[in-house]
Amino acid sequence: MSNTDRGYRFDGGRIGFLLAHGLGGTPTEMRYLALGLSKAGYTVSVPQLAGHGGTEDDIRKSTWQDWYGTLDRELTQLKSECDLVFVCGLSGGAILSLNLAADRGSDVAGVMLLAPTFRLDGWSIPWYARYFDLVLTKSFANLIPFVEREPYGIKDHRLRHMVAEALANQDTDGEAGLYCTPGGTILELRWLTDVVKRKLPGIKLPIMIMHPRFDDRASLNNTAYLQRHLGGLVETVVLDDCYHIVTIDRQRDIVLERVKRFASYELAARGVGADPTPQSLPAPRRADEAAEGGSSNIAAA
């Protein structure tokens, strides 16, 4: 697998979106959502989290603070270009988004959480994984691999087959993320969630949660926990025909439309108005080309 930065962005209007992919995944997970938001006229940034896009050893050496630093820096960049910025995260990226909202609430217009994952407690998670809670050190945790398994967070059979093939061929492109996530990375996620849980009552920003009813990785208990502990209003959408990776599975169109609707409502509440005027889709810029003003084409998922 090449250690390639697959982050990208679409330049648009003065309203921005910062999208955070999942733990062990890649920005490809957010492509459909990013394209749809860009087509609506938003400026969209999808950075690759630190330690991702390479080998197991790369992510093993990274910490949750490294992942968070990626989003923190990108938010600063977006705020220099946009009047308002929404943050949207998938799975572990949703937890990072919550931490960003807690630390930099004045810079965030609203937060969208997609299948937020405090605990890996979905129906496809092996029963013995619960004993991982007893692991307290990263060196020991790294002896316990978390291998991707059916259904790979995907309910749609055609897409699931494509994901399985991509994982099997990850040495050639790495677009699908890691086939095996080190246990130390899962432990870092636990440490992150411990920090975020203490901050939840102080997060009073507008928040929307979308969570699959039959999530194979993270049950609805994760969203129920957020509903009980967040300090502000929470809008919740329960999806009924997809699994964990909601941004590419069967109901990705619903996810896109609800994200746009939520943003439109919050903009109207601030007196900003509706969505920015739709425009023709610009060519995305990869993160490593943005500084040089280059561009590259990324096909839609």
Side-chain angles (χ1 to χ4, degrees):
M1 181 190 296
S2 60
N3 195 2
T4 302
D5 186 353
R6 296 179 175 82
Y8 54 91
R9 65 171 296 163
F10 296 96
D11 293 325
R14 298 288 298 178
I15 308 299
F17 266 88
L18 174 57
L19 306 185
H21 65 79
L23 185 61
T26 75
T28 302
E29 297 171 341
M30 312 301 284
R31 184 174 293 160
Y32 181 85
L33 182 58
L35 286 166
L37 291 171
S38 176
K39 203 166 186 177
Y42 294 104
T43 290
V44 185
S45 177
V46 192
Q48 180 168 279
L49 298 178
H52 291 65
T55 64
E56 289 179 35
D57 192 52
D58 291 325
I59 196 171
R60 185 182 292 113
K61 293 175 181 177
S62 67
T63 66
W64 74 260
Q65 291 90 344
D66 296 327
W67 314 331
Y68 178 67
T70 300
L71 296 185
D72 187 52
R73 290 188 295 272
E74 195 61 29
L75 177 59
T76 297
Q77 180 62 38
L78 276 175
K79 280 296 295 179
S80 71
E81 305 168 6
C82 299
D83 299 321
L84 294 171
V85 177
F86 292 95
V87 179
C88 178
L90 170 68
S91 190
I95 311 305
L96 289 168
S97 298
L98 281 170
N99 201 47
L100 200 63
D103 292 353
R104 299 188 56 180
S106 61
D107 292 328
V108 178
V111 184
M112 296 81 159
L113 308 174
L114 311 179
T117 305
F118 281 98
R119 288 183 60 84
L120 291 169
D121 61 352
W123 56 264
S124 74
I125 302 299
W127 64 269
Y128 52 81
R130 71 188 68 172
Y131 293 108
F132 189 77
D133 289 345
L134 302 175
V135 178
L136 302 177
T137 65
K138 196 168 181 179
S139 58
F140 184 68
N142 278 326
L143 299 176
I144 307 171
F146 281 72
V147 180
E148 285 290 335
R149 53 189 288 165
E150 292 276 358
Y152 307 114
I154 305 293
K155 185 174 183 179
D156 185 273
H157 293 287
R158 182 183 64 85
L159 288 172
R160 187 189 306 171
H161 178 71
M162 293 170 60
V163 169
E165 285 194 336
L167 286 169
N169 297 322
Q170 61 181 307
D171 289 337
T172 62
D173 54 41
E175 287 281 349
L178 292 174
Y179 177 71
C180 180
T181 301
T185 301
I186 305 302
L187 183 59
E188 288 283 351
L189 175 62
R190 187 205 304 168
W191 290 337
L192 168 63
T193 61
D194 289 343
V195 170
V196 171
K197 284 178 178 179
R198 294 192 292 269
K199 299 179 180 180
L200 291 179
I203 301 176
K204 302 184 185 299
L205 291 168
I207 289 180
M208 178 178 66
I209 306 174
M210 283 185 277
H211 206 129
R213 178 175 289 119
F214 305 111
D215 195 317
D216 58 313
R217 296 183 182 177
S219 77
L220 274 171
N221 290 332
N222 289 268
T223 284
Y225 182 89
L226 286 170
Q227 290 174 321
R228 292 194 303 269
H229 293 90
L230 280 165
L233 293 174
V234 180
E235 176 183 340
T236 302
V237 178
V238 176
L239 301 169
D240 63 355
D241 194 29
C242 63
Y243 292 159
H244 188 67
I245 313 299
V246 301
T247 51
I248 64 175
D249 207 356
R250 289 178 176 174
Q251 294 181 298
R252 60 188 181 274
D253 55 335
I254 295 177
V255 171
L256 171 61
E257 290 307 313
R258 293 304 291 256
V259 165
K260 290 194 297 183
R261 185 190 305 179
F262 181 79
S264 294
Y265 178 84
E266 294 304 324
L267 291 173
R270 291 168 177 261
V272 176
D275 287 346
T277 303
Q279 59 187 33
S280 59
L281 192 64
R285 293 188 294 156
R286 287 194 183 276
D288 55 1
E289 295 172 329
E292 301 175 2
S295 64
S296 63
N297 291 321
I298 301 178

